[in-house]
Amino acid sequence: MPLSSLLRTGPRLGPGAIRLKPSSRSSTRVASTLSNVNGERSVLSSILIANRGEIALRVGRTAAKHGIKVTTLYTDPDCRAQHALSSPYAFNLGETSAYLDGDRIIEIAKREGCQGIHPGYGFLSENPSFAQKCTEAGLVFIGPPWKAIEDMGDKSRSKEIMTAAGVPCVPGYHGEKQDPAFLESEADKIGYPVLIKAVKGGGGKGMRIVKSKAEFQDQLRSAKTEALNSFGNDHMLIEKYITTPRHIEVQIFADKYGNCVALGERDCSIQRRHQKILEESPAPHLPDATRKDLWAKARSAALAVGYEGAGTVEFIFDNDTGDFYFMEMNTRLQVEHPVTEMVTGQDLVHWQILVAEGAPLPLTQEEIEAKIASSGHAIEARIYAENPDRGFIPDSGRLLHVRTPKETDHVRIDAGFVAGDEVSAHYDPMISKLIVRGATRDEAIRNLSVALEEYEVAGPVTNIEFLKAVCKSPDFVAGKVETGYIEKHREELFTKQPIEDEVLAQVALACLVNGSSSVSQTQGKFSSPAGSALGFSPGYQQRHFAFTEAQSSTGTQNSSHEVQVRQLSEDTFQVTVNGRTFDQVKSHSDRDSQVITSFFPHTRLDTTVIQEEDFIVAFQRGRQYRFTVPRAKWMEKALGVKDVTNSVLAPMPCKILSVEVQEGDVVEKDQPLVVIESMKMETVIRSPHHGIISKVMHKKGDQCKSGTPLVEFAGEDGA
C-alpha cells in the first residue's frame, strides 16, 4: 500500500485500540462554514486561555485574528505580566499556584460566557480530569478527548497501547510494582545505563540517568521526590538508556472524522537537564524512508487512542543502529510548534480551534508533504533566564533592557516579556522563542546566529551567549546531533572568550555619561555643564575605573580590569585599558537607546551599556559582556553588606527540600549540602571544597531569596 493511502485511511489497529469514525472527506480544503456531526453550526466566538506568558499571548493573537473574544487569567505575581494586560477580560486567580485550580477556571469561563477553554501547554493542558470537567460543564476543551490524555499521560499504559498498535518501544519495566529493591532488580536485568522516569512526568522532571548499580537508589529517591513535587505522583518506570540517542518527534493532527495527518518531524536533541533548547525541522541526515516510517508510526499512535486535535509523538532515535522507539506522546500543543508552522505555513492554533469546532482537517497529507518539500528549514531557540555557566540553573528578576531582532518572514519572535517586566521565580524561566527559517539548514543556522547576535537582554542571566556558541559548534553545523551533545562538547561550548580592550574602554566612557560615582575614583575637578556632548567640561583631568568580569564558567578567579579616562576636549578622550592607550577617541551617547558611539583611531564602535547599581552589561558586535564593580570596604560597611566569603549561597530564589549536613560536619568537594527546589526543578547544592561546616542557616521548608547564605564554612582559624 502506498504511504499516501496509509496516511489517509490509517493503519490496522491493534487489540483494544479505539477505531475512529471513517472519513468521507475529499481532498478539498474545509469550507468556511463549520458544522458538527449533527449538521449544526458550532463556531466558537469566545474562549478562555487557561495559561500564562508567551503561549497565552500566542493563542490570543490567533483568536483575535479570527474574531474570537479572549478571556485571560493571572495570579498575584503575574498581575502586570503581558498576558494579563493583553485582554480587557482578565481575572485574578490569586495565589501563585492557582493556574492549577481547574474548578475556579471553569467557574470563571462559565460566568464570562466563554464557549471553550484553550489550556496552552503545561499546567492543566494534559490533565484528563480538567478536560473531562470542561466537557461536563458544557465547555469545549480545545485539546484531545480526556481519555486519550489519560492513556497517553500514563507512560506505562501508553507503552501497552503502543506495543499493541505495532509501535516499537524502548525495552524496560513499566509495571505497577514500585518497591525500590524490585525496581533495582529490573534495572539490573535491563543492564546499565538505565533511565528512571516518572510515569506522570514531562519536561525532564522526575527523570534520572543511572550509570551503575551503586547509584541507583540515590537517583531513584531524587527522581521520586521531584516527581511528587511536580506531578503529585512518584510512580516510576525503568528503561534502557540509549547511549547516543537523538530526540525526534512528529507533529500529528486528527479530527473527529478519522482524518489524521503528520505535519513533519522535529529534531529536539540539543537539550540540558532533559529539556529542549534548540529544535529544528526537518531532522538533519534522516533517511527519507526512516522519516516516512516515523510519520506513519506517529499516526498509528494517534489512531490507537482515538485522538483529536494537536499532539506530538516523541521517539528516541538510536544514532548507532538507526532504529527508533516510542518514548511518549504529548497530548497538547508543544512549545516548539512554531518550527512546524514555519515549514508548513500553517497556524496550528487555528487548526486546534477548527477541530474543536467540529471541522475536518484543513489539509490532506499530500498537501502537507508538498508544502514541507518546498519550505526549507526552520530552527527554534528558546531564550531562558538561566545561567549555563552554573549548570543552567534558572534566574529571575527585572528585565532592565530588551532589544530584539527585527521580525520578517524568516525571523519570528514569540515573547512573553518586554523590558521592565519581572521574570518570576515562581514559574518557568523562558523569556521568549526565536524562530528562523532558511532555504537550507546551513542558511537557517546563519540566520539564527545573526538574530542571536542582535538579541540583547540585560537583567537576569540568559542562555543567549550559550546558544551562539552552539550555533558556531562544528558538529552542530554538520548536523551531528544527539541528546548528550552539550556534555560531550562541554569544553568547546564553555570556553571563555577574552574581553577586548575596546569593550572596557566603551564601558568606562558610558559610565562617564551616567556620572556613576559607584564605579570610579575621581581625580581632578569635575563639572557637568549643559550642552557638553558627554556632560563634562574640557577642564576635567582624569578618572579611574575598576571592573570585574562576572562569574566565569571555569570557577577560577574572575579577572579585574583597570581603565583610566582623560578628557581632552568636549567630545574627545584618551583611554588607557590595562596599560594600552587609545588616543583621540571621539565619543557621543544616545541616552534613550543607551548606546555609546566612539570613533577610535582604527574603528568605530557602537556599544549598548546598561548599568544598575554595581552591575553592568555591555553589548558590542554581537557579544554580551557582564561586569561587577568592586565596592570599597567602607561602602560595604555603610550599606550593611555581610561578608559571605565562607558561605555557600542560594543560586536562585528557592525552597529548601532537605539539608544534608550538620554543624561540625567535615565535608569533601562535591558532597551534597542542601537540596533546593525552584520553578519545580530540584537542584543539589554541593560543597565547593573540603572544609568544616560551622553553621547551617536554613531548615527544610524554608523559602530563600537568591544570594542568601545556605551554609557557612569555618574560616582558616577554625572559627
Side-chain angles (χ1 to χ4, degrees):
M1 179 182 293
L3 178 68
S4 59
S5 299
L6 176 64
L7 295 174
R8 287 286 294 152
T9 61
R12 294 184 61 184
L13 304 182
I18 302 172
R19 186 175 299 278
L20 299 184
K21 180 178 178 179
S23 170
S24 59
R25 173 179 170 248
S26 69
S27 295
T28 57
R29 298 174 188 270
V30 62
S32 57
T33 301
L34 308 177
S35 302
N36 62 20
V37 256
N38 299 318
E40 299 169 348
R41 186 175 177 85
S42 178
V43 176
L44 297 174
S45 60
S46 176
I47 66 171
L48 179 144
I49 303 173
N51 217 294
R52 67 181 296 276
E54 67 84 18
I55 188 59
L57 293 167
R58 189 263 171 277
V59 172
R61 284 194 298 271
T62 288
K65 182 179 178 181
H66 295 279
I68 300 173
K69 172 191 165 185
V70 168
T71 296
T72 58
L73 304 170
Y74 61 93
T75 57
D76 292 337
D78 270 347
C79 63
R80 289 183 175 83
Q82 295 305 303
H83 73 275
L85 304 174
S86 66
S87 168
Y89 309 97
F91 294 89
N92 187 4
L93 293 170
E95 63 182 15
T96 301
S97 62
Y99 288 118
L100 297 173
D101 190 346
D103 293 338
R104 175 90 188 283
I105 289 170
I106 289 172
E107 175 192 333
I108 292 172
K110 289 181 68 67
R111 188 179 71 224
E112 290 302 302
C114 299
Q115 298 162 296
I117 291 181
H118 194 300
Y121 52 71
F123 291 137
L124 296 167
S125 62
E126 294 181 286
N127 185 314
S129 174
F130 178 69
Q132 185 177 18
K133 286 181 178 180
C134 286
T135 302
E136 291 171 351
L139 296 166
V140 175
F141 180 76
I142 305 176
W146 69 267
K147 190 64 172 67
I149 298 175
E150 183 176 71
D151 287 343
M152 290 295 97
D154 185 316
K155 289 180 171 53
S156 295
R157 172 64 179 147
S158 68
K159 296 284 194 301
E160 296 172 3
I161 295 172
M162 293 305 103
T163 299
V167 181
C169 296
V170 179
Y173 175 74
H174 311 126
E176 289 296 317
K177 196 169 180 180
Q178 292 292 303
D179 176 68
F182 173 78
L183 292 178
E184 183 176 334
S185 69
E186 290 298 307
D188 294 342
K189 292 177 188 176
I190 296 166
Y192 296 94
V194 298
L195 186 67
I196 299 174
K197 191 188 301 184
V199 166
K200 299 288 186 181
K205 296 182 177 67
M207 186 184 296
R208 297 292 185 274
I209 299 168
V210 184
K211 297 178 181 178
S212 68
K213 179 181 179 69
E215 64 181 50
F216 183 86
Q217 291 299 334
D218 285 343
Q219 295 282 39
L220 177 64
R221 278 192 293 271
S222 179
K224 279 179 166 290
T225 299
E226 190 171 83
L228 193 62
N229 290 332
S230 298
F231 314 112
N233 185 305
D234 66 352
H235 278 219
M236 295 287 150
L237 58 82
I238 314 294
E239 290 183 340
K240 178 66 180 173
Y241 181 71
I242 298 169
T243 56
T244 57
R246 287 168 66 182
H247 183 140
I248 299 177
E249 60 189 30
V250 179
Q251 176 72 63
I252 60 94
F253 239 100
D255 62 20
K256 300 178 186 298
Y257 310 107
N259 298 309
C260 183
V261 296
L263 292 95
E265 82 288 346
R266 300 182 290 253
D267 191 303
C268 308
S269 299
I270 305 298
Q271 304 179 358
R272 86 284 184 266
R273 289 178 174 258
H274 305 296
Q275 291 181 312
K276 310 160 191 173
I277 51 174
L278 278 173
E279 301 101 348
E280 58 181 305
S281 182
H285 306 312
L286 194 65
D288 195 54
T290 304
R291 192 185 314 276
K292 296 298 179 67
D293 195 18
L294 277 165
W295 294 1
K297 292 295 193 299
R299 294 187 62 261
S300 296
L303 291 167
V305 291
Y307 203 78
E308 295 172 17
T312 301
V313 185
E314 302 194 352
F315 296 94
I316 291 241
F317 180 87
D318 191 331
N319 263 349
D320 295 332
T321 65
D323 297 325
F324 61 85
Y325 306 95
F326 172 82
M327 184 167 57
E328 62 183 350
M329 183 174 184
N330 287 305
T331 52
R332 54 172 168 78
L333 198 66
Q334 289 281 88
V335 176
E336 59 272 21
H337 75 274
V339 176
T340 297
E341 293 184 326
M342 277 287 206
V343 295
T344 60
Q346 302 302 298
D347 182 337
L348 298 190
V349 173
H350 189 214
W351 277 45
Q352 284 187 296
I353 294 170
L354 291 176
V355 169
E357 290 176 328
L361 295 178
L363 295 176
T364 65
Q365 187 66 43
E366 294 85 351
E367 291 169 329
I368 291 167
E369 290 186 32
K371 288 181 178 295
I372 292 174
S374 61
S375 63
H377 199 96
I379 308 177
E380 175 181 294
R382 301 190 192 186
I383 310 298
Y384 279 102
E386 65 181 17
N387 193 332
D389 290 346
R390 301 178 67 184
F392 297 94
I393 60 173
D395 202 3
S396 59
R398 190 168 67 89
L399 294 168
L400 306 175
H401 166 83
V402 177
R403 182 173 293 143
T404 61
K406 181 180 178 181
E407 294 197 61
T408 67
D409 289 341
H410 301 290
V411 176
R412 167 178 166 180
I413 300 168
D414 285 11
F417 298 89
V418 298
D421 285 352
E422 187 86 11
V423 179
S424 172
H426 300 293
Y427 304 113
D428 186 272
M430 188 171 69
I431 295 171
S432 67
K433 301 181 300 195
L434 172 62
I435 312 101
V436 301
R437 179 173 54 196
T440 63
R441 184 174 185 269
D442 287 342
E443 183 177 296
I445 292 174
R446 291 196 298 271
N447 288 342
L448 179 59
S449 294
V450 171
L452 286 168
E453 289 179 357
E454 294 174 351
Y455 214 129
E456 298 177 359
V457 177
V461 182
T462 74
N463 65 339
I464 293 176
E465 295 304 301
F466 178 78
L467 292 169
K468 293 175 188 175
V470 174
C471 288
K472 291 178 172 62
S473 176
D475 279 350
F476 175 76
V477 173
K480 299 176 182 178
V481 296
E482 58 174 289
T483 57
Y485 190 93
I486 291 174
E487 191 57 39
K488 290 185 178 181
H489 294 75
R490 175 165 291 277
E491 184 175 353
E492 169 197 351
L493 297 176
F494 289 92
T495 297
K496 188 176 180 181
Q497 299 298 320
I499 298 177
E500 296 177 352
D501 292 338
E502 290 86 346
V503 174
L504 293 157
Q506 288 285 79
V507 171
L509 288 167
C511 288
L512 288 179
V513 174
N514 297 331
S516 175
S517 60
S518 66
V519 298
S520 65
Q521 298 169 355
T522 303
Q523 300 173 358
K525 295 181 179 179
F526 166 76
S527 61
S528 181
S532 105
L534 285 177
F536 296 90
S537 71
Y540 182 72
Q541 294 299 309
Q542 181 170 306
R543 292 185 77 178
H544 173 266
F545 296 86
F547 305 109
T548 301
E549 295 175 38
Q551 182 174 356
S552 69
S553 59
T554 60
T556 57
Q557 182 66 37
N558 299 320
S559 300
S560 294
H561 303 275
E562 305 291 326
V563 184
Q564 292 82 36
V565 180
R566 181 188 296 272
Q567 186 172 12
L568 304 177
S569 68
E570 189 174 5
D571 63 351
T572 306
F573 300 84
Q574 180 190 77
V575 187
T576 301
V577 181
N578 297 325
R580 180 188 178 190
T581 298
F582 300 99
D583 279 316
Q584 302 295 318
V585 179
K586 292 187 177 293
S587 299
H588 67 270
S589 174
D590 183 333
R591 291 175 183 257
D592 291 334
S593 66
Q594 302 184 79
V595 173
I596 184 165
T597 299
S598 296
F599 292 84
F600 289 77
H602 60 293
T603 188
R604 188 204 84 241
L605 288 174
D606 301 308
T607 310
T608 304
V609 180
I610 312 298
Q611 180 184 355
E612 181 159 42
E613 297 181 347
D614 302 325
F615 172 68
I616 298 172
V617 182
F619 302 92
Q620 183 171 295
R621 289 184 172 173
R623 279 186 61 191
Q624 181 195 84
Y625 305 85
R626 298 171 68 87
F627 303 98
T628 57
V629 180
R631 282 175 173 162
K633 292 295 183 183
W634 67 265
M635 184 181 293
E636 290 190 349
K637 288 182 179 179
L639 295 173
V641 177
K642 184 179 179 182
D643 183 3
V644 293
T645 305
N646 294 321
S647 299
V648 174
L649 309 180
M652 63 193 111
C654 62
K655 177 182 178 181
I656 305 296
L657 293 182
S658 66
V659 179
E660 304 296 319
V661 293
Q662 298 178 17
E663 293 177 5
D665 283 357
V666 178
V667 298
E668 301 299 328
K669 187 177 186 298
D670 293 329
Q671 182 174 331
L673 302 176
V674 181
V675 181
I676 64 172
E677 181 193 46
S678 181
M679 301 176 184
K680 293 191 175 180
M681 183 180 295
E682 182 179 311
T683 302
V684 179
I685 305 300
R686 299 180 182 275
S687 175
H689 51 68
H690 169 85
I692 301 173
I693 303 297
S694 65
K695 192 171 184 179
V696 175
M697 316 295 284
H698 295 281
K699 63 182 184 301
K700 180 180 178 180
D702 285 357
Q703 297 285 343
C704 301
K705 295 181 179 179
S706 179
T708 300
L710 299 175
V711 301
E712 280 186 8
F713 282 87
E716 293 184 4
D717 59 358

